[in-house]
């Protein structure tokens, strides 16, 4: 059974950094594309970035230049490095793993940016 577990969410001051992790089990991790989303209170879930099995990446305009997505297939883990955090980055962050018709989500991790 495939399981995704996010971690790394925390309370951080504006301008700070966090690295989120998405650990996968029960799946040949290297085959899938990894996506990071976030959902702020009262708002829709939005796509932030993705990385393909080949390592190609893409970012939403709102995080381009501040966030970096990466993966370590040997550790079955995806990452989202977040720098220069702003209060508007406050949200629950989710990872998603896609491969063909297989589609899995993690439970989310809370990121709060506040002084």
């Amino acid at each position: 059974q495939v399981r995704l577990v996010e971690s790394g969410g925390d309370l951080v001051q504006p301008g700070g950094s966090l690295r989120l992790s998405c650990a996968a089990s029960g799946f040949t991790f290297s085959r899938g594309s990894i996506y990071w989303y976030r959902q702020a209170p009262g708002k829709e879930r939005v796509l932030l970035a993705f990385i393909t099995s080949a390592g190609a990446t893409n970012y939403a305009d709102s995080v381009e230049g501040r966030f970096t997505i990466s993966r370590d297939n040997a550790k079955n883990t995806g990452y989202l490095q977040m720098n220069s955090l702003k209060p508007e980055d406050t949200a629950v962050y989710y990872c998603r793993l896609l491969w063909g018709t297989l589609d899995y989500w993690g439970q989310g991790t809370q990121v709060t940016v506040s002084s």
Side-chain angles (χ1 to χ4, degrees):
Q1 185 173 357
V2 176
R3 187 176 180 219
L4 298 179
V5 178
E6 298 102 332
S7 61
D10 205 345
L11 170 64
V12 63
Q13 291 187 346
S17 298
L18 284 175
R19 188 176 79 158
L20 305 183
S21 299
C22 174
S25 60
F27 179 74
T28 305
F29 182 78
S30 59
R31 295 179 180 176
S33 295
I34 303 165
Y35 298 72
W36 283 97
Y37 293 75
R38 70 185 178 195
Q39 187 167 19
K43 296 188 176 181
E44 294 185 350
R45 191 172 298 186
V46 296
L47 176 62
L48 301 176
F50 69 82
I51 182 167
T52 69
S53 58
T57 60
N58 190 271
Y59 297 91
D61 289 343
S62 60
V63 303
E64 178 90 54
R66 298 190 300 127
F67 291 10
T68 303
I69 191 171
S70 62
R71 63 191 299 160
D72 185 338
N73 291 335
K75 294 183 178 180
N76 281 1
T77 302
Y79 301 98
L80 186 67
Q81 176 67 43
M82 306 187 296
N83 299 327
S84 302
L85 284 163
K86 307 173 182 179
E88 51 264 43
D89 294 318
T90 295
V92 178
Y93 285 68
Y94 298 89
C95 67
R96 182 186 188 188
L97 181 65
L98 277 172
W99 183 59
T101 59
L102 299 178
D103 186 356
Y104 301 99
W105 290 83
Q107 83 290 349
T109 186
Q110 175 70 47
V111 172
T112 302
V113 185
S114 175
S115 55

